[in-house]
Amino acid sequence: MLKKLRRKIVLINMILVGIVLLALFSVVCINTYHQQYDRVEGSLSEALRKPAFDAGSLFDPGQILNKLLPGQGDTSGEESGDDEYGSGEKRFVTTSVVSIYSGSATYTVSSNSLNLSSAQLDAAVAYVLAKNKQEGNISKQELRYRTSTEDDVLKIAFADTSEAREAVKKTIFISGFLTVCGLVIVFFISLLLSGLAIRPVKRSWRQQHQFVADASHELKTPLTVILANNNIIMSHKDDTVESQEKWLNSTKEEAEHMSKLVGDLLFLAKSDGEQSPVVFSEVDLSDICENVSLQFDPVAFEKGLNLTCDVQPGITMQGDGTQLNQLVRIFLDNACKYTPEGGDITLRLAKNGPQTIMSVTNTGDPIPKESLEHLFERFYRVDEARTRTSSEGGYGLGLAIAKTITERHGGTVSVESTAEKGTVFTVTFKV
């Protein structure tokens, strides 16, 4: 799937860049074509405006028509070169002009800057007279012509289009070459960047697979225990409920654990799909922290822990009271689980300018540095030996839920763990 996604990204980039390059170079080629067309047309107009100044040889048009070059008399397809004009840097192109006087059987070469031979002039003039059009192209001789009539004199101007045609061909070739080179460069750049672009997708895909596998494993354990207990009870059908109390209590405990796990998974799923919007209202965060701390006093006392609540009174914020209560409970529950007997737990809440900072500190063995960045991942446990069934074990979803709640309230969460200060979870809300 990820390979297909990467190929699609590269293909889309290639298509988009190809379209842009094609449009750009098409504009360049069309502009070149029109520039050269204007040059040729301007040269013809300039040549026809000039008065005849050269005495030329006399030719018989009647004989010229019979001296056409092979295929010159076939007028079909001669217009195929009408659109083939070229490009160049000079303002005008070289021209030749001939004049035919009304009632005369001859024409006069007024100018022959093209240095056309008599045979070439014969063929060109014959072609124009046969076509009987005001302007056109003589493709085989790479000439363009235009006629004008003034004072019973028909003037025909010829312009060389070979240089212009070569210029257009050169522009098209260069444009095509640059397009191909650009696409090759874009291909390799897209290949590189697509790898970087799909890294978050690859990570999310991997985490999703891991999440499904972990969730399946966590659900399988209580289900296995429940089925085993049920089989034991069914194998002693004649026993009383009281005699089966051990297995019934075990089944109840596993069902409660599974219910909590399903609830946590549902919360995370709704949060990911934004199906559970936060209902914001004015809540007293100080009261929430103090109340949750009181609820954990018996838990801390039973484990021989010292729980301290250092809360600045009157701190309020916009948020969901139920979720903020759950947030504080997660951190205190985590601290109670992993603080050794005789250790200290401190819950602090204070304002720091525009920020509200809550922290939970517990003493004990520091968390390895390589584990800190993974603490808020789902189903992650620092000690893999701490299974869900152990006294200190959990599902590994608590801190993931805490991070989700914090982010949904526009806050950030971080953790530090050293042997001197212990483990400190810090939540910062911007007010």
Side-chain angles (χ1 to χ4, degrees):
M1 174 183 173
L2 294 177
K3 290 183 178 179
K4 289 183 179 179
L5 176 61
R6 189 175 185 182
R7 285 198 293 266
K8 286 183 179 179
I9 292 175
V10 174
L11 179 61
I12 291 173
N13 286 340
M14 293 286 289
I15 292 175
L16 292 178
V17 174
I19 292 174
V20 172
L21 291 178
L22 183 61
L24 177 63
F25 290 128
S26 295
V27 171
V28 172
C29 293
I30 292 173
N31 182 62
T32 301
Y33 168 83
H34 282 293
Q35 284 182 346
Q36 303 318 308
Y37 178 86
D38 292 341
R39 283 183 61 243
V40 172
E41 294 300 319
S43 300
L44 292 173
S45 299
E46 183 71 14
L48 290 175
R49 280 197 299 269
K50 289 181 179 180
F53 59 89
D54 288 335
S57 303
L58 299 181
F59 297 90
D60 185 354
Q63 297 178 355
I64 293 172
L65 290 176
N66 296 322
K67 291 161 53 175
L68 296 176
L69 296 177
Q72 194 75 32
D74 183 5
T75 59
S76 61
E78 288 294 345
E79 299 301 318
S80 61
D82 284 356
D83 294 328
E84 300 179 14
Y85 307 116
S87 154
E89 297 180 355
K90 296 184 292 183
R91 176 67 181 85
F92 295 109
V93 297
T94 53
T95 58
S96 292
V97 181
V98 299
S99 301
I100 301 176
Y101 297 87
S102 177
S104 173
T106 61
Y107 67 80
T108 303
V109 180
S110 305
S111 171
N112 193 11
S113 300
L114 290 176
N115 294 321
L116 296 175
S117 66
S118 59
Q120 291 174 324
L121 280 174
D122 285 351
V125 173
Y127 179 85
V128 174
L129 294 177
K131 277 291 186 178
N132 195 25
K133 289 185 177 181
Q134 187 175 1
E135 60 181 26
N137 291 300
I138 306 176
S139 301
K140 293 183 178 181
Q141 292 181 271
E142 295 187 324
L143 298 175
R144 180 165 179 79
Y145 69 87
R146 181 184 294 180
T147 65
S148 69
T149 303
E150 184 178 354
D151 298 331
D152 296 329
V153 178
L154 174 65
K155 296 179 67 176
I156 307 174
F158 299 99
D160 182 18
T161 61
S162 58
E163 181 182 347
R165 291 170 189 264
E166 289 301 320
V168 170
K169 290 179 181 179
K170 184 178 180 180
T171 302
I172 294 174
F173 173 79
I174 293 175
S175 298
F177 177 76
L178 292 178
T179 300
V180 173
C181 291
L183 289 176
V184 171
I185 294 173
V186 169
F187 171 76
F188 287 106
I189 294 177
S190 299
L191 199 62
L192 174 63
L193 295 182
S194 63
L196 299 176
I198 66 172
R199 280 185 181 177
V201 179
K202 185 183 296 185
R203 183 169 57 252
S204 298
W205 183 260
R206 185 169 56 250
Q207 289 176 348
Q208 181 180 356
H209 275 275
Q210 187 64 38
F211 177 76
V212 173
D214 291 338
S216 301
H217 174 74
E218 296 293 349
L219 287 171
K220 182 181 179 180
T221 301
L223 286 173
T224 301
V225 175
I226 290 173
L227 290 173
N229 291 338
N230 189 61
N231 289 334
I232 293 174
I233 294 172
M234 292 296 293
S235 64
H236 300 82
K237 296 181 180 180
D238 296 334
D239 291 354
T240 62
V241 173
E242 184 177 357
S243 64
Q244 302 286 354
E245 184 177 2
K246 174 184 177 181
W247 311 115
L248 293 173
N249 287 336
S250 175
T251 299
K252 178 184 177 183
E253 181 183 350
E254 293 299 330
E256 290 174 347
H257 287 161
M258 190 166 62
S259 176
K260 183 179 183 303
L261 173 60
V262 172
D264 291 343
L265 292 174
L266 184 60
F267 175 84
L268 291 172
K270 287 183 177 180
S271 299
D272 290 343
E274 299 183 354
Q275 297 176 3
S276 178
V278 180
V279 180
F280 287 100
S281 62
E282 189 77 14
V283 295
D284 194 321
L285 191 56
S286 299
D287 285 346
I288 291 176
C289 290
E290 290 174 352
N291 292 335
V292 174
S293 177
L294 288 175
Q295 294 171 12
F296 275 86
D297 270 339
V299 178
F301 178 79
E302 185 178 348
K303 293 192 62 176
L305 306 175
N306 301 313
L307 176 58
T308 303
C309 184
D310 182 11
V311 175
Q312 181 179 331
I315 296 179
T316 61
M317 64 175 290
Q318 291 289 324
D320 187 314
T322 301
Q323 292 190 12
L324 291 173
N325 185 286
Q326 183 182 8
L327 175 68
V328 181
R329 289 181 64 86
I330 288 172
F331 286 120
L332 286 180
D333 179 64
N334 188 72
C336 289
K337 283 180 180 178
Y338 302 117
T339 302
E341 185 176 355
D344 299 319
I345 300 174
T346 304
L347 170 63
R348 292 187 177 90
L349 180 69
K351 291 277 291 183
N352 183 14
Q355 297 179 333
T356 297
I357 300 176
M358 181 188 74
S359 65
V360 176
T361 306
N362 68 281
T363 57
D365 295 335
I367 301 173
K369 289 184 178 180
E370 61 271 14
S371 298
L372 289 178
E373 61 183 59
H374 301 291
L375 278 182
F376 298 99
E377 295 178 4
R378 300 169 186 183
F379 293 109
Y380 181 79
R381 298 186 183 93
V382 175
D383 185 358
E384 293 296 337
R386 286 176 173 171
T387 61
R388 202 252 331 136
T389 56
S390 67
S391 59
E392 294 181 346
Y395 293 108
L397 292 177
L399 293 178
I401 293 175
K403 182 181 180 181
T404 299
I405 293 174
T406 301
E407 291 177 346
R408 297 185 75 185
H409 284 78
T412 57
V413 60
S414 61
V415 59
E416 295 180 3
S417 187
T418 60
E420 297 78 14
K421 296 182 180 180
T423 301
V424 183
F425 288 92
T426 304
V427 176
T428 304
F429 295 109
K430 294 182 180 180
V431 180

